[in-house]
Amino acid sequence: RRSMTLKDFKKAARETEGFAENLFELFDTDHSGWVSLQELVGGMAKLASRDSHKKIVKWFEQQFALVSGDDLQLQLYEFKKALQIKGFSERFFQLVDLDGSGRITFEELMRSVDKLTW
């Protein structure tokens, strides 16, 4: 059974061509070319499978507000900037690690993607 650790996930996020673009598209649910606060927080909330995840979703909401400024929307280049915020990868990893094992399996990743596309 293949899985990845947080270190593996961070490396894949940095080195996988199109990672940011694909993640952006998952959150840009209205296909406007912008990710709104509602879209990002709504997507993160879909990933939150445990009560402890509510704090993580709140953190994303706060970070989004800092990066986006007054308009509360992110274009792709701003979204890429947000991905570089200290703690982003760790918190996103926690949301996708559905069983809390400290490793993400392919199945967990696909279930998380499915949650974002519904």
Side-chain angles (χ1 to χ4, degrees), residues 3-103:
S3 60
M4 68 174 76
T5 63
L6 175 60
K7 183 179 177 181
D8 299 331
F9 177 77
K10 285 178 158 183
K11 182 178 180 186
R14 274 192 319 273
E15 296 177 4
T16 302
E17 187 173 332
F19 177 85
E21 292 81 358
N22 289 320
L23 192 57
F24 181 86
E25 287 179 22
L26 287 173
F27 285 105
D28 183 17
T29 56
D30 66 1
H31 309 289
S32 64
W34 296 81
V35 173
S36 69
L37 176 62
Q38 183 179 9
E39 287 172 317
L40 183 75
V41 172
M44 292 300 179
K46 287 180 185 179
L47 294 176
S49 59
R50 298 189 297 267
D51 284 342
S52 62
H53 288 163
K54 291 178 184 173
K55 288 185 223 172
I56 295 172
V57 173
K58 186 68 176 169
W59 181 87
F60 278 109
E61 185 175 0
Q62 291 167 343
Q63 295 305 310
F64 183 96
L66 289 173
V67 172
S68 66
D70 293 335
D71 63 1
L72 295 180
Q73 296 190 66
L74 296 177
Q75 288 185 298
L76 179 58
Y77 78 92
E78 294 168 311
F79 186 79
K80 286 180 178 181
K81 183 176 158 185
L83 293 178
Q84 302 305 312
I85 293 172
K86 183 175 172 64
F88 185 99
S89 294
E90 291 84 352
R91 286 171 176 88
F92 189 78
F93 184 90
Q94 287 176 317
L95 291 177
V96 177
D97 180 15
L98 301 176
D99 64 5
S101 66
R103 299 184 75 80

